[in-house]
Structure formats: C-alpha cells, structure tokens
Amino acid sequence: MARPTSEGRNGLWELFMNPDRRASMPTWETAVRRAVAGFRLDAAKAADRSEFDALVEKLQAASPEFARLWSEHDVVETPSMLKVILLPELGLIEFENVTLTYSEPDGRELRVSFYAPRPGSNLERARKLFPRP
C-alpha cells in the first residue's frame, strides 16, 4: 500500500481536495470557512510559519475555493462546535466537538479533540459505528 503524501495527511488539505470528505459534510462551506480562519490563527501564533506558508501556497494553487477564503483574512478560535457528518449507511449524525489545547512557551501546541454524538437518534446511529462485542 502506498503511503499518503504529506498533503494527504493534512486535515485542511483533505477538506478541500477530497471529494468524499466534502460529500460527507452537509455543512461543508461553514466547516471550511471555520477551518481556514482557525488555520490563519494558528499560522499567526507559530514561531516558524514556513510550513503554514508552504501549505497555503499549495492549496491556493490547487483550490480556487481555498484561495477565495484565504483572501478574506478571517480569523477565529473555535474550542467547541457542532459537527455534522453524513454517512450513506446511517444518515446524518450530529457530534458535539470540543478541542483542548496545551501550548508550550516556544509556540508548540498539543491539541486533543473529543467528539460526542448528540443525544437521541444521533447517539443511536453513532452506536452502530462501533458495535459492542
């Protein structure tokens, strides 16, 4: 099996360049707008922006949608949000998402994201993703 490229392991790249990922996100436009604005904030806080700038250059060349959103200069920090995913076999599932960040004085960060299905039918559909033995 071929190893994915560095771009293929990047969540922002996947949002714009993977049509399956886009198809699974009914709120794609909102999600990518928030992702680009969050990425801009991360780039601004980075001690070394070179990797951010390299990814921006590649995405601008590959995606007119990214280039448009990047040119808007929005900045946002979103420690929590609602994430909606469309799975063909289960339908829409809404997840509450919380991200915790630990920052080192030198600018390095560790982020941990937690996803919990919203109660009710969302929870029941999500349980089908991970059946108990």
Side-chain angles (χ1 to χ4, degrees):
M1 174 186 287
R3 291 184 63 186
T5 64
S6 60
E7 290 88 3
R9 292 188 308 261
N10 181 280
L12 191 61
W13 182 270
E14 282 289 299
L15 279 174
F16 286 94
M17 304 311 296
N18 183 337
D20 293 334
R21 180 94 181 262
R22 183 176 186 158
S24 72
M25 299 175 68
T27 58
W28 183 85
E29 178 69 31
T30 301
V32 295
R33 182 173 293 282
R34 184 176 49 238
V36 170
F39 181 77
R40 182 179 290 285
L41 177 65
D42 292 342
K45 294 190 300 186
D48 177 5
R49 286 186 52 118
S50 59
E51 289 185 32
F52 288 92
D53 294 340
L55 182 58
V56 166
E57 190 175 314
K58 288 178 183 177
L59 274 167
Q60 284 180 313
S63 171
E65 292 162 317
F66 175 83
R68 175 180 55 83
L69 292 172
W70 188 252
S71 72
E72 293 176 7
H73 301 283
D74 290 345
V75 177
V76 69
E77 187 168 26
T78 55
S80 65
M81 67 181 135
L82 179 67
K83 188 162 193 164
V84 181
I85 299 173
L86 174 62
L87 300 170
E89 64 278 7
L90 297 174
L92 286 174
I93 303 178
E94 295 178 342
F95 292 90
E96 297 288 341
N97 169 243
V98 175
T99 300
L100 305 175
T101 305
Y102 172 76
S103 300
E104 291 283 342
D106 66 1
R108 293 179 297 150
E109 289 187 342
L110 171 65
R111 289 189 193 150
V112 179
S113 292
F114 298 95
Y115 293 86
R118 296 187 83 190
S121 60
N122 291 290
L123 178 58
E124 295 307 315
R125 285 193 296 277
R127 284 186 173 147
K128 292 177 184 176
L129 291 171
F130 306 103
R132 294 182 181 186

